[in-house]
Amino acid sequence: MSKKKPCELKGTAGAIAAIPYREPQQADNHCLEGSWDLHTHSTFSDGEYTVEELIEQARACGLARLAITDHDSVSQLSFIRDRARALDFPVLAGCEVSAINPKTGKKVHILAYGLEATPDGSGPLERIVAQTQYLRTANSLWQAWRLKQANVEFSGKHLSIDEVCEVAAQSTSVYKTHIMQALTGRPKNDPDYQFCWDVFFKKDGIAARSIEYPKVKKVVRAIREQGGVPVLAHPGQKDSWSAIPDLIACGLMGIEAYHPSHTPDDVDRAFEAAERFGLFVTGGSDFHGRYSSAPCLGTAYLAPQEATERLEALFEIEQTLQ
């Protein structure tokens, strides 16, 4: 039996692919009021705020639409959809998948929209992210143990592994940010926080150890196989431009143009890639609350006039998903 082409797959991806393509155009003037922030994180991963709090903040700052894209997890999607409907605010429930490009050795992040979780977690993407969650949590707990064994302190406070677990209680994984919150209680943009992060987790730091991430082409295929819509996240930040042709062949459908780390040249380059490869564009703040550099929702966003029919359709389909 021959393999189906990505555009022939069922689910949200198939519905979006069936919509005629229209090249996205950059807006002349951007205004936060009425804009779309399509990349945020909640307490389900390494964000500070709950789903309800993110929706409240989005409404308060004038955003018209929101996406909550927690790291490497699908199990929370139904909950996000339930809360968005209860609060009557348009939200895409998605996830951000961590991956690696074997050709360059660089990390690549893929945003996934339009997915539904399976009852037993057996979906193609679910199996991949479950492994990442397991490895990340095991590694983070090892890092916390290393810091505790070294008797590190911050302003006279020593690390408590119990407190790390308490900080991470609502998350699907334990992250380095949870360790740092338990130890320092400071936001990520605090200079002392940054100093400790670099000393502990970078280069020859006593807790400097990473995990093995899935190959990015496998991730994009898995998102499509589970009916979802894959979007390349912040290619300027990760320098993942060279991966685009290979990812197109695997079913990539969109690219994130607006991101706090992106320069004007990065934005132009993303729109050029969208035109060349038939992608729609997105944008978002990558907001994590105190655990990120973005000071608030809407630090980066997509203007509504930049959204094409395919992106509009994602929000319509979202209302039918469980």
Side-chain angles (χ1 to χ4, degrees), residues 43 45 163-175 178-179:
T43 51
S45 59
E163 190 172 350
V164 172
C165 294
E166 183 179 341
V167 172
Q170 296 183 55
S171 178
T172 57
S173 297
V174 181
Y175 291 79
H178 296 137
I179 299 173

Side-chain angles (χ1 to χ4, degrees), residues 17 35 48 63 69 88 103 148 153 155 157 160 163 264:
S35 64
E48 178 185 4
L63 290 170
T69 51
D88 191 28
K103 288 185 176 181
K148 184 173 178 60
E153 64 176 84
S155 296
K157 179 182 179 181
S160 164
E163 190 172 350

Side-chain angles (χ1 to χ4, degrees), residues 106-109 111 231-244 254-259 261-262 266-267 269-271 273 282:
K106 295 178 180 179
K107 292 180 182 178
V108 183
H109 286 184
L111 294 164
V231 173
L232 179 61
H234 42 63
Q237 183 191 67
K238 298 295 183 184
D239 189 21
S240 48
W241 304 104
S242 65
I244 293 176
I255 185 169
E256 188 174 51
Y258 298 106
H259 184 269
S261 69
H262 276 191
D266 289 326
V267 174
R269 192 170 181 180
F271 271 89
T282 70

Side-chain angles (χ1 to χ4, degrees), residues 17-40:
I19 297 172
Y21 175 70
R22 175 173 64 84
E23 291 178 3
Q25 301 293 324
Q26 292 188 58
D28 293 331
N29 297 303
H30 274 220
C31 175
L32 180 61
E33 184 73 27
S35 64
W36 302 9
D37 189 336
L38 303 181
H39 186 167
T40 69

Side-chain angles (χ1 to χ4, degrees), residues 36-189:
W36 302 9
D37 189 336
L38 303 181
H39 186 167
T40 69
H41 299 272
S42 78
T43 51
F44 277 118
S45 59
D46 55 346
E48 178 185 4
Y49 297 107
T50 65
V51 170
E52 294 87 348
E53 289 169 334
L54 287 175
I55 292 173
E56 289 173 3
Q57 290 183 35
R59 179 175 274 128
C61 72
L63 290 170
R65 301 190 184 188
L66 183 71
I68 300 176
T69 51
D70 284 301
H71 293 286
D72 302 304
S73 180
V74 178
S75 60
Q76 78 282 3
L77 300 184
S78 292
F79 178 86
I80 294 172
R81 288 174 178 134
D82 177 73
R83 299 315 301 147
R85 291 163 188 168
L87 294 171
D88 191 28
F89 194 85
V91 177
L92 288 182
C95 68
E96 183 177 17
V97 186
S98 309
I100 194 78
N101 182 357
K103 288 185 176 181
T104 63
K106 295 178 180 179
K107 292 180 182 178
V108 183
H109 286 184
I110 303 294
L111 294 164
Y113 303 112
L115 292 163
E116 289 183 301
T118 62
D120 58 357
S122 63
L125 182 65
E126 289 168 295
R127 295 196 301 271
I128 290 174
V129 297
Q131 177 70 1
T132 299
Q133 287 180 33
Y134 172 80
L135 293 174
R136 176 182 287 122
T137 296
N139 190 59
S140 295
L141 292 175
W142 174 85
Q143 290 172 317
W145 175 81
R146 285 282 290 170
L147 296 178
K148 184 173 178 60
Q149 288 296 107
N151 203 32
V152 300
E153 64 176 84
F154 184 90
S155 296
K157 179 182 179 181
H158 294 271
L159 182 67
S160 164
I161 295 180
D162 287 342
E163 190 172 350
V164 172
C165 294
E166 183 179 341
V167 172
Q170 296 183 55
S171 178
T172 57
S173 297
V174 181
Y175 291 79
K176 292 192 290 290
T177 49
H178 296 137
I179 299 173
M180 291 296 293
Q181 174 64 17
L183 178 62
T184 72
R186 302 278 185 87
K188 186 175 182 180
N189 59 7

